[in-house]
Amino acid sequence: MAINTDRIALGYGNAYIAAYSSGSVEALPADTVARDGSWGGAWANLGSTTADGVKYTSSNEFRHVDVGQSTVDVFSRVTKQNVEIELTLKETSVENLKYAMGFGSLSTSGSSGVLTVSHNPGLMEYTIGLEGPSPDSDVTAAQRILFYRCVPISEPEQVFSRDEETMAVVKFKALLHGTSSIYQIRQYRP
């Protein structure tokens, strides 16, 4: 097999978030928007991440069925799908902390932001967009992933230390949107 370096992706990722709406999910930007370009709409960029920064995992559980007449399984079914998104944010604004917790009321006045958390909160649902390099020789190429409906499952922790930056690890679990959609991956190669 020949080596094709245009199929190797290398680079950092960006994360975006928007409120989830079952009737009108926030769309990914058009393919004409280059990587690092403005996503527009209701998308909020979650800002700087660590070098490990933006990742998602997709795992499946299977049921393999065998019968007495065969030494090989005769069919398999996926019995559970689990998709999680994990972001390590270096920008620990009250806005990002609200996204991480999925509840609370946010108020801003001038240069101040206040996140107030009450007991028995209702959990917010979000649409998450990830953007990274697409396998292409052009640096403007982008791979974009849209997670239609997500809820935060992180337990935010902040450490204030003179030796390290303050960071927030944020985790989301993807849920079913409509009757069949979980996420989509799109590659833009100019």
Side-chain angles (χ1 to χ4, degrees), residues 65-145:
V65 178
D66 64 350
V67 296
Q69 291 78 11
S70 175
T71 58
V72 177
D73 292 335
V74 293
F75 72 89
S76 295
R77 293 284 189 263
V78 174
T79 58
K80 183 165 180 64
Q81 293 174 278
N82 188 47
V83 179
E84 292 184 4
I85 303 100
E86 183 175 319
L87 314 166
T88 305
L89 304 176
K90 286 220 176 181
E91 297 184 22
T92 55
S93 64
V94 289
E95 292 84 0
N96 280 354
L97 292 175
K98 181 179 180 193
Y99 296 137
M101 290 187 285
F103 48 79
S105 60
L106 185 64
S107 62
T108 56
S109 176
S111 60
S112 296
V114 177
L115 176 61
T116 304
V117 178
S118 59
H119 73 290
N120 198 23
L123 197 57
M124 296 285 299
E125 293 184 345
Y126 300 109
T127 298
I128 304 291
L130 302 181
E131 176 183 71
S134 181
D136 193 288
S137 60
D138 188 324
V139 295
T140 63
Q143 177 171 286
R144 295 186 175 118
I145 307 167

Side-chain angles (χ1 to χ4, degrees), residues 8-19:
I8 300 172
L10 178 65
Y12 58 88
N14 294 307
Y16 298 85
I17 194 165

Side-chain angles (χ1 to χ4, degrees), residues 26-49:
E26 195 67 33
L28 290 173
D31 284 345
T32 54
V33 176
R35 190 167 147 226
D36 295 330
S38 173
W39 278 34
W43 288 110
N45 187 320
L46 293 173
S48 301
T49 61

